[in-house]
Amino acid sequence: MSSLYLEGTLLPLMCSTQNARLMSIDEMHSLIVNGSYAKLIKQIREAYASGQKGQVMDKRTGRMAEVPMVDMLKKRLPLFVPQGNVIHRRRIDGFWHPTPFMPFDGDHLTPDQLEHIMQQVSQLPWVKEAHRSSRGEGVHLIVNVGVIPVPETAQGDNPDDFIPYVPAEFRVQYADEYKRRYCIVAQYLQQELGMPCDPQCKDVLRGLFLSHDTEAFLRPDEEMESFDFASWKGNNDSQEPPQEEVSLSDEKCETSPVIALLPLPQTTEPELPHILEETPLQESLITSYLPYHQYTPSRRHGWWVSWAQYLKYKGVELADLSRYCEAMRQHLSQQGLIQPDDPLLRNPNEVDDAMAWGYEHSTSAPSAAQEPSSVSPSVSISDDELLERLEAIKLPQALKASIESQPQQVVLATLCGIMPAAQTYTSAVSVEYCDGKRQRLNGMSCIVAEQGGLKSGVKDMIYQWMAPLQSSDEAARQKEQDYKELRLTRKANEKLPPPPKVEIVVVPATISCSAFLKRQKMAGGKHLFSFCDEIDTVRKTNGAGSWSAKYDIYRMGFDNGEWGQDYNSDSSESGIVQVAYNWTFMGTPSAMRACFAKNGAVENGLTARVWHCLIPPSRFEHMPKYKPIEEHQTESIRQATEMLRMARGFVDTPLLRKHIEQWCNRKADEANESNDMVVDTFRKRAAVIGFRAGVVFMLLENGQQWIADGKALEPDYVNHMKESNNCIQFAKLVADHALKYQCMLYGNQLLAERNSLAAESMIYRTKNATLFDVLPAEFSFEKLMELRPDSRTNTLRVMISSWRKKGMIKKLNKNLWCKK
């Protein structure tokens, strides 16, 4: 057996495959013995012994809830999945390379039981590795149960000639066989060693948190044996004799792909019900979705939206959506996840509406014309996974203060909304991007939500970040007002002083092109900023006359492009400027599409430059609760704006450049695998958006540390900055989030616009050719006259003669022709 087949996967975060890597059990064992995570394990065991509590955001209610500190600390430990390669996706459809190893977890043991089990398992030839758990009162085992047989598939269809471990048509049978073997071994451990096993480990993708145990046990490969299922039947006398296992690679599998299974041992845990036995694909999708998306009545609408988006990602057609909806409803009811008083049972139309909305606002499954080899995972990442990654990042105080008072549903939207305002303060900063070119920190965001969709909380936090900008603008606007009054009251022969040149940063989103040019010239290269809480206002003002050039200004503002206008009149501003314009807009999905998509902004690149965030509708959900913004939070934000204003000059970011380049290249490989032109188009600027957000994070993080060290804040602090791992992870998270919603909101239209432009550029359509297209396969002269009532008879006869000479039609009889 190849050594590659003996490697599991180490996940730095339990709910994400970000930075996952393959690892053998021997390497995992060395991490446990040498104390790589000893400090964190010590904290976990102390918190468990003291019963210490911590505060965490409850995703169901949006409030802070009290949970055991040990559970919060454990989420910071890496997770090892011994069954194989789940780097691409920790789901059954992303599972590669079989291993014969299965994890077992026994908890709540006394010290004597723990010592006894550790001594006994070292005598079992099928136990590969054993160590004490992170809490110190349990044991983790990795057992050799033999490789589960699967059908042989042709190599070369996958990257690096990987063979899919579980082909789609065998996933249900594979999961059953895995569960059968787990139950038998668990029964042995319970009866022979007195070790109660966690029933959740029967999941194929179950992993074990790393721990620290200097006395951990590891068996060499040459001494390994697999568990003998045939010779041990347990204490169940009624169990039937073992049947011969049939390999799925046998020729019989071509007509009857079934594994001959031993009867499962009796257990008090209810078996997974077969919802629709004739459609195993439905059951497979349900069982792969539920472990990562727990149903909660308080957020039922958003939950069904996510379920519909997951189905669309899996290629389920809209016509089949109702069947999958009913299958999930049956499953939830049979599992007791829907209570008798759940509104779902009283109002079934709610589910249909939610799923229809989710299906519409999701990235389509690839069409047959694209012929993808697989679907890119770039757009399938869930907001829950992004939030899990965000919780693992230690944010600077200002960013943390910005989201502490927000409901969980709008945490990502808040970060998206405040980022352009934060970047406006960094006008004097320049950075070098991965391609070697210098950039400034320009940013544009768009928050998309239905009416009453929780945008107000995001708006309040944006005003917190805008406050210092507006404060400095007040004095400048007063100078302009004083000069205006002086001009109106001057005498006829009185000479006025030249008008004041003032810097005004915050400008209304409805500013005209001429006024914008004036403000940009007076700003001396500084960023301007606009906020609009209803994007429909922008659409109406920018749709007429010279104001339509605003869309060019938006696009050029991302890269500081040149823009200007030249008039022979003193009534309009003339000149050329380097555009530096940041903004945050909010609006409904319909208004957003009317503002951007209908103006051709998908193919011209504007939407790719905007960080979008879609807040799922909150219809039928319980009332969210906002916390008041406390004084220390406001002070943290104010201090952050001073840090960003103080930053000047070139900021070097070698590590951030390296990791963002790797991220962008990885997305290119994913897009190449799935032939996904949408991801390939949007990934490049999504990487830039993430990179710039990472630079802001680094400025805040290092400025905060500079002040904590007792140093006075001065421009020199940017010369001593370093990128932390938190900064890099935040930049990647922003890039993933931006790419997801760019593809989701504009992917289909991008392809449609490209196809339309390609057709228009390659084919010249004459009036007669258009007429030929609308004719039926067989047509008469009367039909032709009906379509061209204004044409003369001789003209139509010449037209028919021309088509016949070109071989486009053939004559069937005196008055009937057909297309070839």
Side-chain angles (χ1 to χ4, degrees):
M1 179 179 293
S2 169
S3 61
L4 181 60
Y5 280 71
L6 296 179
E7 289 183 309
T9 309
L10 186 71
L11 307 176
L13 294 175
M14 62 175 291
C15 294
S16 173
T17 57
Q18 188 82 12
N19 297 326
R21 61 190 179 98
L22 293 178
M23 176 176 287
S24 67
I25 296 176
D26 291 28
E27 293 174 301
M28 184 273 295
H29 176 80
S30 66
L31 291 177
I32 292 173
V33 173
N34 63 24
S36 299
Y37 304 95
K39 185 176 180 181
L40 181 56
I41 295 298
K42 181 180 178 181
Q43 295 175 3
I44 291 173
R45 292 175 180 174
E46 290 176 351
Y48 180 69
S50 62
Q52 186 180 356
K53 301 288 186 179
Q55 296 288 328
V56 68
M57 183 74 73
D58 190 336
K59 296 180 180 179
R60 296 175 299 173
T61 64
R63 300 179 180 179
M64 298 300 291
E66 193 176 69
V67 298
M69 179 63 71
V70 64
D71 294 339
M72 298 174 61
L73 293 173
K74 279 186 67 176
K75 290 183 178 181
R76 295 164 54 185
L77 285 172
L79 188 75
F80 181 69
V81 180
Q83 264 287 295
N85 182 343
V86 291
I87 286 180
H88 295 295
R89 193 180 296 111
R90 193 183 164 207
R91 298 175 185 167
I92 194 71
D93 57 348
F95 190 25
W96 308 76
H97 289 170
T99 75
F101 300 114
M102 181 181 292
F104 288 83
D105 182 8
D107 285 328
H108 308 297
L109 302 174
T110 65
D112 292 340
Q113 288 177 316
L114 184 58
E115 189 66 27
H116 171 73
I117 291 173
M118 289 295 293
Q119 291 177 359
Q120 292 298 316
V121 295
S122 63
Q123 308 301 319
L124 300 176
W126 36 267
V127 174
K128 171 66 178 175
E129 204 271 349
H131 61 268
R132 291 169 177 81
S133 65
S134 56
R135 295 185 183 184
E137 46 81 62
V139 62
H140 289 168
L141 303 182
I142 297 180
V143 172
N144 185 345
V145 297
V147 177
I148 300 175
V150 295
E152 295 181 0
T153 47
Q155 297 194 20
D157 296 332
N158 302 293
D160 302 324
D161 290 336
F162 283 6
I163 303 177
Y165 187 21
V166 185
E169 63 272 20
F170 291 96
R171 287 172 188 156
V172 174
Q173 292 91 333
Y174 174 81
D176 288 342
E177 172 65 3
Y178 185 94
K179 184 177 179 180
R180 177 186 78 91
R181 298 190 183 194
Y182 177 86
C183 291
I184 293 175
V185 178
Q187 189 182 49
Y188 177 95
L189 294 173
Q190 172 69 45
Q191 295 181 7
E192 301 297 327
L193 303 183
M195 172 182 165
C197 296
D198 185 353
Q200 299 297 326
C201 286
K202 66 179 183 297
D203 178 12
V204 177
L205 305 179
R206 192 70 173 181
L208 298 174
F209 285 110
L210 294 195
S211 182
H212 175 50
D213 184 2
T214 56
E215 300 178 356
F217 168 76
L218 178 69
R219 187 176 303 281
D221 290 341
E222 57 271 15
E223 299 178 7
M224 281 301 305
E225 299 180 11
S226 61
F227 187 88
D228 190 353
F229 291 94
S231 63
W232 193 84
K233 302 179 182 179
N235 295 336
N236 187 1
D237 298 333
S238 63
Q239 187 174 2
E240 299 177 3
Q243 305 174 25
E244 181 181 357
E245 292 189 2
V246 180
S247 172
L248 291 181
S249 60
D250 192 87
E251 294 179 358
K252 297 179 182 179
C253 293
E254 297 179 4
T255 57
S256 178
V258 179
I259 304 177
L261 304 179
L262 285 173
L264 289 174
Q266 297 296 322
T267 175
T268 58
E269 184 180 355
E271 295 296 327
L272 187 67
H274 290 270
I275 297 145
L276 296 174
E277 295 184 359
E278 297 181 357
T279 54
L281 179 59
Q282 291 182 0
E283 184 178 352
S284 175
L285 291 178
I286 289 173
T287 53
S288 62
Y289 178 80
L290 283 176
Y292 304 97
H293 301 82
Q294 184 178 1
Y295 175 77
T296 54
S298 63
R299 292 197 60 196
R300 58 188 180 278
H301 190 277
W303 191 89
W304 288 102
V305 166
S306 299
W307 171 235
Q309 292 176 345
Y310 178 78
L311 293 176
K312 189 172 184 179
Y313 165 69
K314 290 297 184 181
V316 175
E317 299 293 336
L318 180 61
D320 299 328
L321 203 61
S322 59
R323 294 194 297 108
Y324 284 86
C325 171
E326 184 59 30
M328 177 62 83
R329 244 193 292 225
Q330 291 182 29
H331 179 86
L332 294 176
S333 180
Q334 294 180 20
Q335 290 290 303
L337 299 175
I338 299 180
Q339 302 302 321
D341 60 342
D342 196 298
L344 172 63
L345 302 179
R346 300 196 303 266
N347 185 12
N349 292 333
E350 172 193 334
V351 175
D352 298 334
D353 293 343
M355 293 192 68
W357 190 94
Y359 197 91
E360 178 186 357
H361 295 82
S362 179
T363 304
S364 300
S367 62
Q370 293 176 284
E371 296 182 356
S373 58
S374 62
V375 180
S376 173
S378 302
V379 295
S380 65
I381 186 172
S382 68
D383 282 356
D384 287 342
E385 182 177 344
L386 291 171
L387 286 171
E388 290 284 353
R389 288 167 53 184
L390 182 64
E391 289 177 2
I393 297 173
K394 185 179 180 181
L395 297 174
Q397 290 178 359
L399 297 183
K400 184 179 179 181
S402 301
I403 62 175
E404 279 180 334
S405 61
Q406 303 292 78
Q408 191 78 355
Q409 302 95 307
V410 296
V411 166
L412 293 172
T414 302
L415 291 176
C416 175
I418 66 174
M419 192 55 65
Q423 292 168 332
T424 303
Y425 291 98
T426 63
S427 296
V429 171
S430 65
V431 293
E432 180 182 318
Y433 189 55
C434 313
D435 56 5
K437 295 181 180 179
R438 292 288 179 98
Q439 293 186 357
R440 295 173 64 188
L441 301 183
N442 307 310
M444 301 174 286
S445 295
C446 185
I447 312 299
V448 185
E450 296 284 359
Q451 292 291 341
L454 305 179
K455 298 191 295 290
S456 59
V458 181
K459 178 177 68 175
D460 293 342
M461 197 54 63
I462 293 174
Y463 280 136
Q464 289 286 331
W465 281 84
M466 286 174 55
L469 294 174
Q470 293 174 319
S471 178
S472 59
D473 285 351
E474 287 179 2
R477 291 188 182 276
Q478 186 61 45
K479 288 182 180 180
E480 285 191 334
Q481 183 64 26
D482 293 343
Y483 183 81
K484 181 180 178 180
E485 293 177 358
L486 179 63
R487 187 179 60 187
L488 293 175
T489 58
R490 73 182 180 91
K491 297 179 180 179
N493 59 350
E494 184 179 358
K495 186 177 180 180
L496 288 175
K501 294 184 178 181
V502 295
E503 295 180 358
I504 294 179
V505 174
V506 180
V507 297
T510 54
I511 187 173
S512 68
C513 293
S514 182
F516 174 84
L517 183 59
K518 176 183 177 181
R519 294 298 184 206
Q520 190 72 83
K521 288 167 63 177
M522 289 185 177
K526 290 185 178 180
H527 290 96
L528 302 185
F529 178 75
S530 291
F531 171 64
C532 181
D533 59 358
E534 185 48 67
I535 202 172
D536 195 53
T537 305
V538 175
R539 180 186 65 84
K540 291 175 181 177
T541 57
N542 294 357
S546 62
W547 286 34
S548 60
K550 290 281 285 297
Y551 293 102
D552 292 330
I553 294 174
Y554 298 152
R555 187 176 64 253
M556 294 175 185
F558 189 78
D559 300 306
N560 289 120
E562 278 192 356
W563 176 83
Q565 55 189 17
D566 195 1
Y567 292 106
N568 292 325
S569 170
D570 293 336
S571 60
S572 296
E573 192 75 22
S574 297
I576 298 176
V577 293
Q578 298 283 340
V579 180
Y581 189 25
N582 298 353
W583 48 260
T584 298
F585 294 161
M586 295 180 174
T588 63
S590 299
M592 180 270 300
R593 284 191 293 268
C595 185
F596 290 141
K598 287 188 178 180
N599 288 280
V602 178
E603 181 58 15
N604 72 14
L606 173 56
T607 52
R609 292 168 163 87
V610 181
W611 179 7
H612 290 84
C613 183
L614 178 64
I615 303 176
S618 55
R619 296 190 297 270
F620 311 109
E621 293 188 9
H622 296 182
M623 178 71 71
K625 300 296 183 182
Y626 292 92
K627 290 184 176 181
I629 301 175
E630 299 181 4
E631 185 176 349
H632 75 274
Q633 295 170 335
T634 302
E635 177 60 24
S636 295
I637 295 174
R638 187 204 62 77
Q639 190 179 65
T641 61
E642 293 299 321
M643 294 178 195
L644 297 177
R645 265 182 172 162
M646 188 66 68
R648 297 181 182 278
F650 173 71
V651 177
D652 195 16
T653 56
L655 283 178
L656 191 57
R657 288 197 300 269
K658 174 185 174 182
H659 284 273
I660 287 295
E661 182 178 4
Q662 293 174 350
W663 180 92
C664 193
N665 291 339
R666 186 168 64 253
K667 296 302 176 185
D669 295 338
E670 292 176 2
N672 184 41
E673 286 181 30
S674 58
N675 193 25
D676 195 331
M677 298 303 297
V678 173
V679 171
D680 187 54
T681 301
F682 287 124
R683 66 178 173 88
K684 301 167 188 175
R685 292 196 180 98
V688 178
I689 293 171
F691 172 78
R692 293 177 181 177
V695 175
V696 172
F697 187 104
M698 182 179 67
L699 291 169
L700 294 175
E701 188 178 45
N702 284 270
Q704 177 181 307
Q705 185 61 43
W706 186 275
I707 294 176
D709 292 342
K711 302 177 183 177
L713 195 63
E714 55 186 25
D716 186 55
Y717 89 91
V718 300
N719 299 324
H720 305 276
M721 293 195 303
K722 294 182 180 179
E723 309 102 302
S724 66
N725 183 60
N726 289 318
C727 168
I728 293 169
Q729 296 304 322
F730 182 78
K732 291 181 180 180
L733 183 146
V734 171
D736 280 327
H737 188 268
L739 178 60
K740 170 187 175 179
Y741 283 109
Q742 286 172 351
C743 295
M744 178 185 294
L745 295 171
Y746 302 107
N748 291 338
Q749 183 159 350
L750 175 68
L751 295 177
E753 287 184 10
R754 284 189 174 180
N755 294 336
S756 177
L757 292 172
E760 291 177 4
S761 63
M762 296 175 61
I763 302 175
Y764 174 71
R765 306 300 294 175
T766 66
K767 189 176 182 180
N768 291 345
T770 304
L771 174 63
F772 182 81
D773 288 342
V774 299
L775 283 170
E778 293 185 3
F779 62 92
S780 63
F781 191 78
E782 287 74 14
K783 180 65 176 178
L784 200 60
M785 293 180 64
E786 180 184 338
L787 294 174
R788 283 288 180 85
D790 298 332
S791 298
R792 291 165 39 172
T793 304
N794 288 342
T795 302
L796 297 178
R797 293 191 182 279
V798 171
M799 190 184 305
I800 291 175
S801 176
S802 174
W803 288 343
R804 184 177 57 80
K805 290 178 181 179
K806 292 178 181 178
M808 299 170 65
I809 62 173
K810 69 178 180 178
K811 190 173 184 178
L812 299 178
N813 55 43
K814 184 178 180 180
N815 192 37
L816 189 64
W817 293 268
C818 73
K819 297 180 181 180
K820 288 187 177 180

